[in-house]
Amino acid sequence: SKRAVLHLATSYNLVEFATAVKPLLFTALLGDHEQVAYLDPDTYVVAPMTELPVDLAATEGGILLTPHFLEPVTPDGFLSEGHLLTVGFYNLGFCAVDRRALRFLDWWWNHLRTECVWDPLSGLFVDQKWMDIGAPLFRAGTWRHAGYNVGVGNLHERPLDLGTDGYVITSSGDPLRLFHFHAFDPDNPEELSTRFESSTAHLRQSGSVDVLAKEYAERVRHFRQTLPDPPPYPYSRDTDGRRISRHLRRAYREAGGQQFGELPSPFLPEDADRWNTWRRSARKSEFRGLVGDFAKSSRLIFPDEYGRLRKRFPAVAQRVKSGFVRDSGIWG
């Protein structure tokens, strides 16, 4: 329903909202199609994905995923294996499912409807970290085709060359199908990503990568000039123009629980009075959330001090632990 959508848009920011609805989109599309694939908007398709239908059909669970790395990371890798403990083993800039995955999609959605957040203290990275659990539970296929989801983080193991038949991964012989540009600035194609503090220009280890980046930049600039400017995100502010903060969204998400649509919407003029009343009442919840974040951070950053607190003030320590477990589901 409309209110259910608006509830989700209130509970999450733009990135969280966009990633939370993935399993719903997959499920809807599978009603009319046998197979469905998802690509991030910053993914560049350079050649037909001819292997995809066959390899997806060959999986045991009807789920096909691409890991960030196919081999153990060497010292020349731009990202470390430890990074995957934060963002997850699989890169969900690409994934594919068929109708055998419907039970998995339902499981995924049951988590993402309330737990699609970026919260390192709770071990969450929007929709992606859940796949570390879902992949083995639902027998997903780990695709070892080196030409899918190539990007700044795995170029060290997938060097590119441009031949007469297109781009090829020279380490495996696989043809390049998808290149995933992360935070790419088309006006500065020498940098493969602007997300990192250090330069990524050195990762263009061959002229072929340089050609690919400039080709993609030219296409992005073309569409940027021909398409109208994107409208502002409609769910960042309420009907009175006030920004909906991360802490207020969390309070709203926790208040709504699993029951979408029961709380007043900040985006409906007819709910404005009820929204303002609820917004004022949520201040205590916002403060409790901040205190909980501080308690979790303190426990992780100062484990020895927490141990001493637990010995001297066991009741206080138990309250801190109870809140930590309740909010994050993490035992420690």
Side-chain angles (χ1 to χ4, degrees):
S1 68
K2 178 180 179 180
R3 281 194 173 271
V5 173
L6 294 179
H7 182 106
L8 200 66
T10 308
S11 300
Y12 290 140
N13 64 25
L14 170 58
V15 173
E16 294 164 347
F17 182 35
T19 51
V21 299
K22 279 185 187 178
L24 296 181
L25 178 62
F26 278 135
T27 301
L29 291 173
L30 286 173
D32 297 318
H33 304 279
E34 293 288 339
Q35 298 179 334
V36 177
Y38 168 83
L39 285 75
D40 263 0
D42 53 2
T43 301
Y44 185 35
V45 181
V46 302
M49 298 180 285
T50 55
E51 309 87 0
L52 177 54
V54 175
D55 287 359
L56 174 57
T59 62
E60 184 177 358
I63 309 163
L64 198 55
L65 305 173
T66 52
H68 285 88
F69 309 127
L70 294 174
E71 302 293 340
V73 177
T74 56
D76 59 339
F78 192 66
L79 297 179
S80 69
E81 292 169 343
H83 177 68
L84 305 192
L85 298 176
T86 300
V87 302
F89 179 71
Y90 298 100
N91 187 317
L92 292 192
F94 166 86
C95 59
V97 296
D98 64 24
R99 289 176 177 171
R100 292 172 294 165
L102 289 174
R103 192 167 67 93
F104 155 74
L105 294 173
D106 185 60
W107 170 87
W108 199 19
W109 166 241
N110 282 331
H111 282 292
L112 298 190
R113 66 192 304 172
T114 57
E115 299 172 288
C116 187
V117 293
W118 183 69
D119 183 1
L121 294 176
S122 299
L124 297 178
F125 186 73
V126 286
D127 65 321
Q128 198 161 273
K129 283 290 289 292
W130 291 109
M131 207 59 73
D132 289 358
I133 301 172
L137 287 180
F138 295 92
R139 297 175 174 82
T142 298
W143 209 5
R144 296 195 60 83
H145 191 294
Y148 284 78
N149 238 345
V150 183
V152 64
N154 55 32
L155 267 175
H156 65 281
E157 67 174 18
R158 308 184 199 186
L160 291 182
D161 187 28
L162 179 57
T164 56
D165 295 328
Y167 293 96
V168 177
I169 310 297
T170 59
S171 57
S172 67
D174 291 325
L176 175 66
R177 303 304 193 199
L178 307 176
F179 195 97
H180 196 165
F181 287 91
H182 298 271
F184 181 75
D185 179 4
D187 293 325
N188 184 22
E190 290 75 20
E191 292 286 349
L192 288 178
S193 177
T194 61
R195 184 170 294 169
F196 304 95
E197 293 183 3
S198 59
S199 172
T200 58
H202 70 284
L203 297 175
R204 297 180 298 121
Q205 79 283 61
S206 71
S208 299
V209 177
D210 190 46
V211 171
L212 178 70
K214 291 180 178 178
E215 177 184 318
Y216 177 69
E218 183 179 349
R219 295 202 174 195
V220 173
R221 289 196 299 267
H222 166 73
F223 287 113
R224 191 169 61 183
Q225 293 169 359
T226 56
L227 295 174
D229 293 334
Y233 182 57
Y235 303 127
S236 62
R237 299 179 181 273
D238 63 19
T239 53
D240 290 328
R242 293 170 300 195
R243 187 179 69 87
I244 304 175
S245 69
R246 171 182 175 272
H247 305 296
L248 186 59
R249 291 184 188 276
R250 176 169 58 184
Y252 192 89
R253 186 169 62 248
E254 292 175 352
Q258 298 287 328
Q259 303 301 315
F260 287 164
E262 294 186 1
L263 294 175
S265 172
F267 312 119
L268 296 175
E270 60 267 30
D271 283 9
D273 290 340
R274 287 201 304 132
W275 164 253
N276 288 330
T277 299
W278 182 88
R279 191 174 184 272
R280 288 190 293 270
S281 71
R283 290 170 182 166
K284 289 183 179 179
S285 296
E286 290 183 85
F287 179 73
R288 284 197 299 270
L290 287 169
V291 172
D293 286 345
F294 177 78
K296 288 189 287 187
S297 301
S298 299
R299 186 182 176 198
L300 293 174
I301 297 173
F302 305 110
D304 294 338
E305 289 75 2
Y306 173 78
R308 289 195 291 270
L309 172 70
R310 183 172 54 186
K311 291 180 179 179
R312 295 188 60 185
F313 306 101
V316 174
Q318 183 58 39
R319 284 198 297 272
V320 171
K321 180 177 180 178
S322 298
F324 184 50
V325 171
R326 183 186 66 248
D327 294 340
S328 68
I330 297 175
W331 291 91

